[in-house]
């Protein structure tokens, strides 16, 4: 797992940890520190890079650890599993503190470093061994010794970037890493981009510097950077790139274009002649390096993109794809369509947004994407044809649905593994449901046209429910507990079923 980290660095971490906390207040308050394994210690140390009291998204933390080589890079699912275990362990022992929602008092996927722990991470008795400090700006920027300093470049607080690029860089995080609070418009359909309440403004002085990244780069984040209109072709040729985060690059209008084979160009003007005389033409180089190892591609919030390039359907290792555009713009032979994603046999998580009327062929072959577990669809105000969804979905997030019901979903009975159902905005009047669904978590937000019903009837539709949330809905179920915000099932509370005689039945949406 730590193949990218020298043994000497690992020895320094484990050795210094025992020397540095002995006799300190931290040792008295956090006796579990000595029980951490080397992976957890390294992951904890790596978060000392960020300022005190910073809110960090869990997703970003996992990305960060993968980029540093602290988690396995063979699979996103494996990396996430290991990362979740370490993340949860650090929270349970008090090194990381969870962020709670004020109204529902629910743990959100964000955390801060315990202030005492953060001070200890920056203390001299630790930093002399583990960290080297960049004092050029009179601020502490800890990295794991010289090895990490040479291979990690993160923009902590710069608004205008003049990036020094060297061939040893593995992690290049130029964009925003802070958690950004967003406020939705909260109209009936919640269309359009969200309104950021606070966000870093970052500009890169010379975008051509991106062309100098070396093949050693594994993690590249340009999140939220202004002024980037296109991604250079050279990014696609980074043989070891695992994560590409382009989220909220609002000026981005063009993703990199995969070059045609040079062999094909050289032979094209002689192809007809060679065929006539019976020569055997050499095969094109189909193994040309192009995002060969990419596991995560995030292009959500890039609203100026008008089509998806064809090469997206060729990313055989892709497991997470966010911000995929579904529309009728672009040439059919050059654009990637939703049905083309059925070729991605490892894709586990997908978010898409639609821009035009949905014809039946748009969703053709989409339900054959059997590996997909999590799907988010953001609809626009347009007509919807009959469609089917991948049958192994465990989480379905529907946003801005334009119709009153989802009767055009043709294979609802096949979604037998669905455990999480989230609906945000739109015109739905009924809660989508089916007797074959096993929904445990239900979130309903800003559904202004949702009809009022009875709380027991809602629970009857979903016998396995353990969490329900109503936010911004004009009509909540009668007798809904906890002031009509959220309900959490008690451990000893019995489950309800629509078959129970005392429970009023409301019709299913299908």
């Amino acid at each position: 797992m730590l193949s990218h980290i020298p043994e000497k660095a690992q020895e320094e971490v484990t050795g210094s940890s025992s020397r540095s906390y002995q006799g300190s207040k931290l040792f008295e308050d956090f006796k579990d520190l000595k029980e951490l394994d080397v992976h957890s210690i390294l992951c904890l140390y790596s978060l000392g890079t960020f300022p005190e009291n910073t809110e960090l998204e869990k997703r970003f933390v996992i990305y960060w650890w993968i980029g540093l080589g602290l988690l396995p890079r063979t699979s996103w699912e494996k990396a996430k599993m290991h990362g979740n275990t370490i993340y949860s362990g650090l929270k349970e022992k008090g090194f990381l503190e969870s962020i709670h929602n004020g109204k529902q008092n629910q743990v959100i996927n964000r955390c801060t470093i315990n202030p005492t722990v953060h001070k200890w991470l920056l203390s001299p008795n630790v930093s002399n061994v583990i960290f080297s400090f960049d004092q050029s700006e009179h601020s502490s920027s800890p990295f794991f010794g010289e090895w990490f300093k040479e291979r990690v470049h993160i923009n902590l607080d710069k608004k205008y970037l003049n990036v020094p690029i060297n061939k040893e860089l593995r992690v290049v995080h130029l964009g925003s890493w802070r958690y950004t609070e967003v406020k939705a418009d909260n109209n009936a359909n919640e269309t359009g981009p969200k309104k950021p309440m606070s966000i870093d403004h970052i500009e890169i002085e010379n975008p051509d510097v991106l062309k100098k990244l070396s093949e050693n780069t594994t993690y590249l984040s340009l999140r939220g950077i202004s002024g980037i209109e296109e991604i250079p072709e050279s990014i696609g040729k980074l043989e070891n790139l695992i994560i590409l985060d382009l989220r909220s690059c609002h000026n981005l209008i063009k993703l990199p274009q995969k070059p045609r084979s040079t062999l094909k160009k050289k032979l094209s003007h002689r192809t007809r002649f060679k065929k006539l005389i019976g020569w055997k033409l050499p095969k094109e180089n189909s193994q040309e390096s192009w995002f060969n190892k990419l596991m995560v591609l995030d292009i959500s919030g890039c609203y100026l993109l008008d089509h998806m390039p064809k090469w997206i359907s060729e990313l055989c290792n892709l497991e997470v794809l966010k911000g995929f555009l579904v529309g009728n713009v672009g040439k059919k032979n050059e654009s990637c369509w939703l049905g083309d994603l059925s070729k991605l046999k490892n894709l586990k998580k997908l978010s898409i947004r639609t821009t035009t009327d949905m014809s039946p062929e748009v969703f053709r072959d989409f339900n054959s994407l059997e590996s997909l577990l999590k799907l988010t669809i953001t609809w626009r105000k347009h007509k919807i044809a009959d469609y089917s969804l991948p049958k192994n979905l465990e989480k379905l997030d529907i946003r801005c649905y334009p119709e009153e019901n989802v009767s055009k979903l043709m294979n609802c009975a096949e979604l037998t593994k669905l455990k999480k159902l989230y609906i945000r905005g739109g015109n739905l009047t009924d809660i989508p449901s089916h007797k074959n669904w096993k929904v445990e978590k239900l979130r309903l937000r800003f559904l202004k046209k949702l009809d009022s019903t009875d709380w027991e009837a809602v629970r009857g539709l979903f016998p396995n429910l353990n969490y329900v949330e109503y936010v911004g809905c004009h009509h909540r179920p009668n007798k809904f507990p906890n002031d009509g915000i959220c309900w959490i099932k008690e451990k000893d509370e019995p489950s309800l079923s629509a078959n129970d005689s005392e429970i009023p039945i409301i019709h299913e949406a299908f």
Side-chain angles (χ1 to χ4, degrees), residues 283-343:
K283 294 182 180 180
E284 296 181 9
N285 182 12
S286 59
Q287 300 300 320
E288 184 178 2
S289 175
W290 186 262
F291 289 125
N292 284 349
K293 295 183 180 180
L294 196 67
M295 293 192 302
V296 178
L297 175 59
D298 191 343
I299 48 178
S300 55
C302 300
Y303 297 108
L304 296 184
L305 293 174
D306 61 5
H307 76 284
M308 299 287 98
K310 197 72 172 180
W311 53 258
I312 290 181
S313 63
E314 301 171 3
L315 303 179
C316 59
N317 290 314
L318 197 66
E319 297 184 49
V320 177
L321 175 56
K322 305 184 71 174
F324 186 87
L325 175 65
V326 179
N328 296 323
V329 181
K331 296 180 180 180
K332 188 170 184 179
N333 294 332
E334 297 179 1
S335 299
C336 181
W337 299 80
L338 189 60
D340 295 333
L341 299 183
S342 61
K343 303 174 186 177

Side-chain angles (χ1 to χ4, degrees), residues 4 25 37 50 66 71 75 81 102 110 118 132 147 155 198 215 297 333 353 355 368 374 382 394 403 425 444:
H4 297 275
K25 187 177 185 301
D37 56 70
F50 305 99
I66 293 175
L71 298 177
S75 164
M81 180 181 66
R110 303 197 304 271
H118 193 275
S132 63
W147 189 89
N155 173 29
S198 61
E215 61 182 16
L297 175 59
N333 294 332
R353 61 184 179 94
T355 59
S368 63
K374 299 180 180 180
H382 51 240
E394 296 178 358
E403 300 189 356
L444 306 174

Side-chain angles (χ1 to χ4, degrees), residues 340-357:
D340 295 333
L341 299 183
S342 61
K343 303 174 186 177
L344 304 180
K345 302 304 181 182
N346 293 314
L347 192 63
K348 303 293 191 303
K349 184 174 183 178
L350 172 67
S351 70
I352 63 179
R353 61 184 179 94
T354 65
T355 59
T356 59
D357 290 346

Side-chain angles (χ1 to χ4, degrees), residues 51 128 141 181 226 244 274 346 356 381 388 393 460 508:
N128 288 342
S141 300
E181 193 75 36
S226 301
L244 178 58
K274 289 191 174 184
N346 293 314
T356 59
K381 291 182 178 180
S388 297
L393 285 180
E508 294 182 349

Side-chain angles (χ1 to χ4, degrees), residues 235-254:
I235 299 298
K237 298 179 181 179
L238 299 179
E239 296 183 357
N240 294 299
L241 190 64
I242 296 174
I243 300 173
L244 178 58
D245 186 358
L246 305 176
R247 185 178 183 182
S248 299
C249 289
H250 299 303
N251 300 113
L252 184 64
I253 60 177
K254 185 179 180 181

Side-chain angles (χ1 to χ4, degrees), residues 265-501:
K265 291 179 181 179
K266 291 179 180 178
L267 295 178
S268 59
H269 69 284
R270 292 181 289 179
T271 299
R272 183 178 299 177
F273 172 74
K274 289 191 174 184
K275 283 185 176 180
L276 288 174
I277 63 176
W279 282 17
K280 185 177 181 181
L281 296 176
K283 294 182 180 180
E284 296 181 9
N285 182 12
S286 59
Q287 300 300 320
E288 184 178 2
S289 175
W290 186 262
F291 289 125
N292 284 349
K293 295 183 180 180
L294 196 67
M295 293 192 302
V296 178
L297 175 59
D298 191 343
I299 48 178
S300 55
C302 300
Y303 297 108
L304 296 184
L305 293 174
D306 61 5
H307 76 284
M308 299 287 98
K310 197 72 172 180
W311 53 258
I312 290 181
S313 63
E314 301 171 3
L315 303 179
C316 59
N317 290 314
L318 197 66
E319 297 184 49
V320 177
L321 175 56
K322 305 184 71 174
F324 186 87
L325 175 65
V326 179
N328 296 323
V329 181
K331 296 180 180 180
K332 188 170 184 179
N333 294 332
E334 297 179 1
S335 299
C336 181
W337 299 80
L338 189 60
D340 295 333
L341 299 183
S342 61
K343 303 174 186 177
L344 304 180
K345 302 304 181 182
N346 293 314
L347 192 63
K348 303 293 191 303
K349 184 174 183 178
L350 172 67
S351 70
I352 63 179
R353 61 184 179 94
T354 65
T355 59
T356 59
D357 290 346
M358 297 291 101
S359 60
E361 65 178 14
V362 170
F363 283 91
R364 186 175 57 189
D365 297 330
F366 181 56
N367 62 333
S368 63
L369 194 56
E370 296 183 355
S371 62
L372 195 66
L373 303 178
K374 299 180 180 180
L375 174 64
T376 299
I377 306 180
T378 302
W379 301 84
R380 294 292 298 272
K381 291 182 178 180
H382 51 240
K383 298 179 180 178
I384 300 177
D386 294 344
Y387 63 96
S388 297
L389 298 178
K391 62 182 180 181
N392 290 323
L393 285 180
E394 296 178 358
K395 176 182 176 181
L396 177 60
D397 190 340
I398 304 172
R399 303 184 181 186
C400 313
Y401 200 79
E403 300 189 356
E404 294 185 352
N405 58 63
V406 289
S407 58
K408 293 183 179 179
L409 175 57
M410 305 308 296
N411 67 333
C412 55
E414 297 180 0
L415 306 181
T416 58
K417 299 181 180 179
L418 191 64
K419 295 181 179 180
K420 296 181 180 180
L421 178 62
Y422 299 170
I423 307 174
R424 176 190 287 265
N427 296 322
L428 286 173
T429 59
D430 299 316
I431 303 174
S433 61
H434 193 276
K435 62 182 181 181
N436 291 351
W437 294 3
K438 303 296 187 296
V439 174
E440 300 174 357
K441 194 169 187 177
L442 177 66
R443 282 183 173 177
L444 306 174
R445 296 187 171 215
F446 313 115
L447 299 175
K448 296 184 178 182
K449 297 185 178 181
L450 187 66
D451 291 336
S452 179
T453 184
D454 190 82
W455 167 233
E456 285 77 10
V458 175
R459 291 190 61 191
L461 287 177
F462 305 104
N464 298 309
L465 275 180
N466 54 45
Y467 179 86
V468 179
E469 179 180 303
Y470 278 82
V471 176
C473 300
H474 285 184
H475 300 289
R476 289 185 289 271
N478 299 325
K479 301 180 182 179
F480 189 78
N482 298 337
D483 298 324
I485 296 175
C486 75
W487 169 81
I488 304 174
K489 182 181 177 181
E490 301 292 340
K491 292 182 179 180
D492 299 330
E493 187 174 354
S495 299
L496 295 181
S497 169
N499 295 324
D500 295 340
S501 58

Side-chain angles (χ1 to χ4, degrees), residues 80-341:
K80 187 176 69 171
M81 180 181 66
H82 284 275
N84 286 339
T85 300
I86 293 175
Y87 184 88
S88 299
L90 293 176
K91 285 203 306 181
E92 291 174 1
K93 292 178 170 59
F95 302 118
L96 301 181
E97 298 181 345
S98 298
I99 305 298
H100 291 74
N101 183 303
K103 293 182 179 180
Q104 292 95 342
N105 196 31
Q106 292 298 294
V107 175
I108 303 176
N109 287 333
R110 303 197 304 271
C111 71
T112 59
I113 305 173
N114 182 291
T116 303
V117 174
H118 193 275
K119 288 182 174 63
W120 173 76
L121 292 175
L122 299 181
S123 62
N125 58 350
V126 177
S127 60
N128 288 342
V129 180
I130 304 302
F131 299 141
S132 63
F133 290 82
D134 178 9
Q135 298 292 349
S136 60
E137 299 292 333
H138 303 286
S139 62
S140 297
S141 300
F143 294 96
F144 298 118
E146 293 299 323
W147 189 89
F148 278 85
K149 188 175 181 180
E150 293 174 357
R151 289 162 175 78
V152 178
H153 183 93
I154 182 169
N155 173 29
L156 289 178
D157 53 12
K158 300 287 186 181
K159 294 184 180 298
Y160 301 95
L161 302 177
N162 186 5
V163 186
I165 298 295
N166 67 68
K167 294 183 178 181
E168 298 298 323
L169 283 177
R170 264 66 164 175
V171 177
V172 182
H173 199 296
L174 305 179
S176 175
W177 48 267
R178 291 179 176 84
Y179 168 74
T180 302
E181 193 75 36
V182 296
K183 183 177 181 180
D185 290 336
N186 295 348
N187 56 38
N189 294 296
E190 282 202 309
T191 56
K194 304 297 180 291
K195 298 179 179 179
M197 296 174 63
S198 61
I199 190 169
D200 295 331
H201 177 79
I202 304 174
E203 293 185 21
I204 187 168
E205 295 181 0
N206 182 15
D208 287 341
V209 74
L210 299 176
K211 298 178 181 179
K212 299 180 182 180
L213 293 173
S214 75
E215 61 182 16
N216 294 318
T217 304
T218 59
Y219 174 26
L220 173 61
S221 175
L222 305 177
R223 178 180 177 183
I225 296 181
S226 301
I228 297 179
E229 296 185 354
E230 62 180 281
I231 304 300
E233 177 185 307
S234 58
I235 299 298
K237 298 179 181 179
L238 299 179
E239 296 183 357
N240 294 299
L241 190 64
I242 296 174
I243 300 173
L244 178 58
D245 186 358
L246 305 176
R247 185 178 183 182
S248 299
C249 289
H250 299 303
N251 300 113
L252 184 64
I253 60 177
K254 185 179 180 181
L255 292 174
Q257 296 299 313
K258 184 176 180 180
R260 296 183 179 181
S261 171
T262 56
L263 181 60
K264 182 176 181 179
K265 291 179 181 179
K266 291 179 180 178
L267 295 178
S268 59
H269 69 284
R270 292 181 289 179
T271 299
R272 183 178 299 177
F273 172 74
K274 289 191 174 184
K275 283 185 176 180
L276 288 174
I277 63 176
W279 282 17
K280 185 177 181 181
L281 296 176
K283 294 182 180 180
E284 296 181 9
N285 182 12
S286 59
Q287 300 300 320
E288 184 178 2
S289 175
W290 186 262
F291 289 125
N292 284 349
K293 295 183 180 180
L294 196 67
M295 293 192 302
V296 178
L297 175 59
D298 191 343
I299 48 178
S300 55
C302 300
Y303 297 108
L304 296 184
L305 293 174
D306 61 5
H307 76 284
M308 299 287 98
K310 197 72 172 180
W311 53 258
I312 290 181
S313 63
E314 301 171 3
L315 303 179
C316 59
N317 290 314
L318 197 66
E319 297 184 49
V320 177
L321 175 56
K322 305 184 71 174
F324 186 87
L325 175 65
V326 179
N328 296 323
V329 181
K331 296 180 180 180
K332 188 170 184 179
N333 294 332
E334 297 179 1
S335 299
C336 181
W337 299 80
L338 189 60
D340 295 333
L341 299 183

